[in-house]
C-alpha cells in the first residue's frame, strides 16, 4: 500500500491530474485502434519489420525507465506545459507509426534498415548523454543547489545530446515501418524539441553558474552548424 501511495504521489507531481488522464485516455484509444488495424491487415504485414520496431523501441524504453528518477524536490523547475505536449506527440509518433503501416503497408527494406540505424544511433547517443549526466539527469528543465556544468562525454562538443538522440529516433521510427505519413509527427516532435531546447538554454543561463561560458564553447546540436 505504501509503495502504491508513493507511486501515485510521484505521478501527481510529474503530471497534473487532468494532463495525466488526457494522455492516458488518448493513448489507450490510439493503442486500441492500432491493435484493431494490425489484426485486420495482419496477412498483408511483414511481422519481422514490426518485431524489429518492437525490439528497438522496447530497448529504448527500458533504458529510459532505468535512467528515470523521481523529482528531487529541492531544486528550481521551469514551466512544464511544453513537456506535456511533447510527451503526447512522442507517444502519438510511437503508436501512429504502427497504425500508418497497418493501414498502408509498404515494403522497402533499404528504408527499414536506414530507419533502424538512425534509431539505434539516436538511442546510443541519448544513453551516452544520460550516463554522462549521472545524478543530474532529469526529464524536467530544472537545477539543484550545488549543481555544476557537465563537460564530459558528448557534452564536450554539443550541449543537448539527449535531444539530438531523440530527434534521430523520431526520424528513424516511422522509417523502420515505411510509415511515411507518420513523418509529419516526426517533424512536429523535432519542432517541439527545438522549442524546449531553447527554453532550457534560457533557463540554465539564468539559473546554472557557468552555463553561459559553456554555451560559448560548444554547439547546441550540430557541431560546426548550430
Amino acid at each position: 500500500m505504501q509503495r502504491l501511495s508513493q507511486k501515485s504521489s510521484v505521478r501527481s507531481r510529474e503530471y497534473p491530474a487532468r494532463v495525466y488522464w488526457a494522455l492516458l485516455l488518448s493513448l489507450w484509444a490510439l493503442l486500441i485502434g492500432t491493435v484493431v488495424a494490425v489484426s485486420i491487415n495482419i496477412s498483408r504485414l511483414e511481422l519481422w519489420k514490426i518485431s524489429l520496431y518492437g525490439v528497438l523501441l522496447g530497448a529504448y524504453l527500458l533504458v529510459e525507465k532505468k535512467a528515470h528518477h523521481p523529482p528531487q524536490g529541492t531544486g528550481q523547475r521551469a514551466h512544464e506545459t511544453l513537456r506535456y505536449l511533447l510527451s503526447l506527440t512522442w507517444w502519438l509518433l510511437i503508436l501512429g507509426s504502427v497504425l500508418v503501416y497497418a493501414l498502408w503497408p509498404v515494403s522497402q527494406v533499404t528504408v527499414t534498415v536506414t530507419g533502424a540505424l538512425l534509431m539505434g544511433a539516436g538511442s546510443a547517443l541519448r544513453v551516452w548523454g544520460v550516463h554522462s549526466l549521472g545524478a543530474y539527469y532529469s526529464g524536467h528543465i530544472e537545477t539543484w543547489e550545488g549543481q555544476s556544468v557537465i563537460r564530459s562525454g558528448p557534452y564536450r562538443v554539443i550541449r543537448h545530446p539527449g535531444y539530438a538522440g531523440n530527434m534521430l529516433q523520431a526520424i528513424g521510427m516511422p522509417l523502420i515501418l515505411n510509415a511515411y505519413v507518420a513523418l509529419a509527427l516526426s517533424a512536429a516532435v523535432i519542432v517541439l524539441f527545438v522549442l524546449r531546447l531553447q527554453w532550457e538554454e534560457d533557463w540554465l543561463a539564468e539559473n546554472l553558474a557557468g552555463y553561459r561560458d559553456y554555451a560559448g564553447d560548444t554547439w547546441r546540436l550540430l557541431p560546426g552548424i548550430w
Side-chain angles (χ1 to χ4, degrees), residues 71-94:
Q72 299 294 316
T74 57
Q76 304 178 73
R77 180 174 298 174
H79 190 47
E80 296 283 72
T81 302
L82 183 58
R83 179 173 181 264
Y84 306 147
L85 182 58
L86 185 52
S87 294
L88 175 60
T89 310
W90 183 254
W91 281 101
L92 288 177
L93 173 62
I94 290 174

Side-chain angles (χ1 to χ4, degrees), residues 30 34 37-38 45 49-50 53-54 57 89-106 119 169-187 189:
L30 181 58
T34 301
V38 170
L45 306 181
K49 192 180 294 184
I50 296 178
Y53 182 81
L57 180 62
T89 310
W90 183 254
W91 281 101
L92 288 177
L93 173 62
I94 290 174
L95 295 174
S97 295
V98 181
L99 179 60
V100 169
Y101 175 60
L103 295 175
W104 301 287
V106 178
M119 189 169 180
Q169 291 171 322
I171 298 171
M173 281 190 283
L175 292 183
I176 292 173
L177 297 173
N178 307 144
Y180 302 118
V181 174
L183 287 170
L185 287 170
S186 300
V189 165

Side-chain angles (χ1 to χ4, degrees), residues 208-224:
L208 182 59
Y211 190 82
R212 292 183 187 275
D213 292 336
Y214 168 67
D217 297 334
T218 52
W219 301 92
R220 289 185 178 92
L221 291 173
L222 300 172

Side-chain angles (χ1 to χ4, degrees), residues 178-199:
N178 307 144
Y180 302 118
V181 174
L183 287 170
L185 287 170
S186 300
V189 165
I190 290 173
V191 168
L192 290 172
F193 269 124
V194 170
L195 292 174
R196 191 169 195 259
L197 177 158
Q198 295 174 327
W199 194 353

